[in-house]
Structure formats: structure tokens, C-alpha cells
């Protein structure tokens, strides 16, 4: 009887939305998440599929997801007897792959309306170093009207990944990118931008001005900064970058069109310390700008770790005021999406 009463009490508290429950076995269920950064396919355009994705979303309490393809594909080189399993598997290059958008769109179109409402498709199959990229965006918008809800992840500076990409290094403030930002503003689409804040060897934030230039020249374009300019490889070389918190604070204070994606490489080692406790400077930063941060898993085509990945954010969320935690966990992502009078699937009346 005592166990039954305790269970009913926990359910009642969670349903009331009065704040997070601290117990380890219930904390992950108290937050409704939006995953602002998830790739439906991997670097070979393979995916576990929608059924696997929705099982993982339900287990992780992820209500909404920004779902995107992968703009790059790893080449299986003629001289390699075994197919690489990751983009760093060998020295073969990666090339831009626009068909990723059609793969994603057709998978989403096959969903019933009840599931389609939880998917927010982002168009990603563009080469950000090519001024023709806007033509592909226009083609996709015509082929799938009232469908796309964002552009990205756009891959600009990205350490070893960039080094393996065929062609020149894309920059956040290149003319090709400026054309993309302007088109995004015309279509009311946010842009999820990967732009590392520094290189593998430089401690200073040497690429920060590229993002600043993009923000200043495109005030009508909503830009989501993926990983807050970090990456796993940069972290291995640089560990915690000095000045990152101060730089983000300054950018958010100066530019109302910037949001920060706190996906995995900024969560650790920057936000969480060695004991998995949030650092005071990051807590102060999020409290100062409560409407500007969102969470992402950055999974690529495989979804079984989604619950574990999103649960890593609970320590941060538990340390924030409940209203701020709800914004970071879900609402801030939803706030950057465009308004759509009708969504594919809903307009066609499909349902389970």
C-alpha cells in the first residue's frame, strides 16, 4: 500500500508540472524534451528507420525533434578492401550529398499525422561553399511545400571533418553562406550552423568573428549555433576553452537572432565538471539568457542511445529554476520554428 501511495504521489507531482523530481529513477520522466539536433541518417545515408526513432523518442520522453539528413557522404575508396564504418575510418574524402533531403522527406511523408506532428524537418543537403546552394533550397521548397521548418545542420568549420571534405573550407561568413541566410529569412526558416570557434591547436577563439559577421549582417535570420562552437575533436585537443562563456554571453547580448544548441560536445567537458555537476558560470549564463538555449542529441542514424544522451542534461536542468528548465528542455526550440498554416500529413488527413 505504501509503495502504491508513493507511486501516485510521484505521478501527481509530474503531471502538475511543478518542477523536476530529484529521484534518479524518475528524473528522466519529469522533463518533456525537444531534441533540437538529430540526424536521421549517418555518413553513409543509412538509418535504423522511423519505427526505431519513435521507440527511442518515447523512451526518452522526447516530444519533438529537429530531424535532418546528413549533408556529407563518406567515399568508399577504390583502394580500400573494407567499407569504412565512420567518416574517420580512413583517409578517403567526404563529398556533398543533396539527395539526403529527399531521403528524409520521403521517410517523414510516410508517417501518420499523429507522428508527423512531432517531426520538424530541417533541410541540410547543401554545400555551404557553393553559391548555387540556394538553388537546391528553392528546389526542395517547391518539391515539398509547407514542409521544411529549418535549414541545417550546415557544416562549416569542423576540424577533421572539414579536412576530409572535397573542396575549400566553408566559413560561416562566406558569400555563399550570406545567400543562404538571406533565403532562410525570406522563408522564415532558422539555420542550424556548425562553426567551430577555434582550431585544434589554437587556444584563442580565432574563428569567432566569422559567426559575429554572419549575425551582424543577417539580423532577420534566426541562427542556432551547434555545440556552441565546440566539437569532440577540439575538446580532446583544447579541453575547456578559456573565454567561451564570456564570448557566448557577449554574442547573446548583442544579437537577438542567436540561439545556442547545447548538444554533447559542449555539455562535456564545458558545462559539467568531473563530478557531473553544472559549473556555476554556465548556470549563470543560462539564467541570464533563459530563452536562448536548447538541447540536442546529435545522433546519426542510430537511436538506441537517445534516452541516455538526453538524460545527461538532467543535472543541468535540475540546477535551473523550473520555468527556465522547461524552456531549455523543450520550449526554446519550439519558439524558433516558423509558423505553418498546414503541415504535411495533417493537411492530407493521414492518421493511425
Amino acid at each position: 500500500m505504501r509503495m502504491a501511495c508513493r507511486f501516485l504521489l510521484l505521478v501527481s507531482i509530474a503531471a502538475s508540472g511543478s518542477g523536476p523530481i530529484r529521484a534518479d529513477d524518475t528524473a528522466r520522466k519529469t522533463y518533456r524534451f525537444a531534441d533540437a539536433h538529430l540526424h536521421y541518417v549517418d555518413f553513409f545515408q543509412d538509418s535504423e528507420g522511423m519505427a526505431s526513432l519513435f521507440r527511442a523518442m518515447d523512451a526518452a520522453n522526447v516530444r519533438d525533434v529537429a530531424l535532418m539528413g546528413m549533408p556529407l557522404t563518406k567515399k568508399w575508396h577504390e583502394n580500400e578492401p573494407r567499407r569504412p564504418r565512420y567518416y574517420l575510418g580512413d583517409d578517403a574524402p567526404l563529398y556533398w550529398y543533396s539527395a539526403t533531403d529527399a531521403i528524409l522527406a520521403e521517410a517523414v511523408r510516410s508517417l501518420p499525422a499523429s507522428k508527423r506532428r512531432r517531426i520538424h524537418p530541417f533541410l541540410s543537403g547543401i554545400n555551404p561553399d557553393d553559391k548555387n546552394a540556394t538553388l537546391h533550397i528553392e528546389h526542395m521548397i517547391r518539391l515539398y511545400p509547407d514542409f521544411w521548418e529549418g535549414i541545417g545542420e550546415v557544416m562549416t568549420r569542423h576540424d577533421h571533418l572539414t579536412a576530409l571534405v572535397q573542396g575549400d573550407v566553408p566559413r560561416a561568413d562566406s558569400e555563399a553562406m550570406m545567400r543562404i541566410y538571406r533565403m532562410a529569412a525570406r522563408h522564415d526558416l532558422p539555420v542550424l550552423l556548425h562553426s567551430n570557434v577555434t582550431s585544434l591547436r589554437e587556444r584563442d577563439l580565432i574563428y569567432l568573428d566569422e559567426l559575429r559577421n554572419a549575425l551582424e549582417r543577417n539580423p532577420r535570420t534566426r541562427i542556432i549555433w551547434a555545440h556552441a562552437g565546440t566539437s569532440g575533436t577540439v575538446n580532446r585537443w583544447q579541453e575547456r576553452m578559456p573565454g567561451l562563456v564570456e564570448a557566448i554571453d557577449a554574442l547573446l547580448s548583442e544579437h537577438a537572432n542567436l540561439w545556442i544548441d547545447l548538444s554533447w560536445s559542449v555539455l562535456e567537458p564545458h558545462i559539467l565538471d568531473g563530478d557531473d555537476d553544472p559549473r556555476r558560470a554556465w548556470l549563470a549564463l543560462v539564467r541570464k539568457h533563459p530563452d536562448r538555449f536548447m538541447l540536442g542529441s546529435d545522433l546519426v542514424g542510430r537511436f538506441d542511445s537517445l534516452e541516455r544522451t538526453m538524460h545527461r542534461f538532467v543535472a543541468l536542468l535540475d540546477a535551473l529554476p523550473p520555468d527556465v528548465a522547461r524552456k531549455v528542455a523543450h520550449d526554446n526550440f519550439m519558439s524558433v520554428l516558423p509558423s505553418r498554416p498546414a503541415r504535411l500529413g495533417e493537411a492530407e488527413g493521414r492518421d493511425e
Side-chain angles (χ1 to χ4, degrees), residues 29-42:
K29 297 301 182 184
T30 65
Y31 295 107
R32 180 179 65 170
F33 291 107
D35 187 341
H37 186 161
L38 194 150
H39 298 273
Y40 181 63
V41 297
D42 61 17

Side-chain angles (χ1 to χ4, degrees), residues 300-322:
V300 287
R302 305 290 181 272
F303 314 118
D304 58 345
S305 63
L306 182 60
E307 182 179 14
R308 181 170 66 254
T309 301
M310 300 307 288
H311 184 62
R312 293 291 292 156
F313 291 104
V314 167
L316 169 65
L317 298 174
D318 279 352
L320 295 170

Side-chain angles (χ1 to χ4, degrees), residues 7 52 55 293 324 342:
F7 174 77
S52 176
R55 283 194 300 270
F293 292 91
V324 176

Side-chain angles (χ1 to χ4, degrees), residues 9 23 56 68 73 84 94 103 112 116 166 186 206 215 241 258 263 269 276 289 321 328 348:
L9 176 62
M68 60 207 72
T73 288
L94 294 98
I103 293 172
R116 169 67 187 88
Q166 293 177 337
R186 287 198 298 273
I206 60 175
L215 292 165
M241 286 180 282
L258 176 65
S263 49
D276 284 349
H289 306 280
V328 174
E348 297 175 4

Side-chain angles (χ1 to χ4, degrees), residues 25-146:
D25 61 341
T26 56
R28 74 186 64 191
K29 297 301 182 184
T30 65
Y31 295 107
R32 180 179 65 170
F33 291 107
D35 187 341
H37 186 161
L38 194 150
H39 298 273
Y40 181 63
V41 297
D42 61 17
F43 285 96
F44 303 93
Q45 306 301 318
D46 293 329
S47 174
E48 288 182 337
M50 284 295 182
S52 176
L53 173 61
F54 275 94
R55 283 194 300 270
M57 289 173 62
D58 291 341
N61 209 22
V62 172
R63 175 62 181 81
D64 294 274
V65 62
L67 195 62
M68 60 207 72
M70 182 63 70
L72 290 159
T73 288
K74 175 76 170 180
K75 179 179 179 179
W76 185 1
H77 197 279
E78 172 68 23
N79 296 329
E80 292 294 335
R82 183 169 295 174
R83 187 182 190 228
R85 292 184 293 274
Y86 191 52
Y87 78 84
L88 291 173
D90 57 35
D91 293 333
L94 294 98
Y95 56 94
W96 302 102
Y97 193 82
S98 61
T100 195
D101 291 326
I103 293 172
L104 172 65
E106 293 305 309
V108 174
R109 279 161 52 95
S110 70
L111 294 171
S114 59
K115 292 183 176 179
R116 169 67 187 88
R117 284 189 287 268
R118 300 171 62 185
I119 301 294
H120 307 279
F122 275 44
L123 187 158
S124 66
I126 53 177
N127 177 352
D129 192 51
D130 183 358
K131 289 191 284 188
N132 283 318
T134 49
L135 297 178
H136 174 72
I137 296 172
E138 290 284 16
H139 290 325
M140 288 295 104
I141 290 174
R142 284 198 299 269
L143 284 171
Y144 302 99
D146 292 322

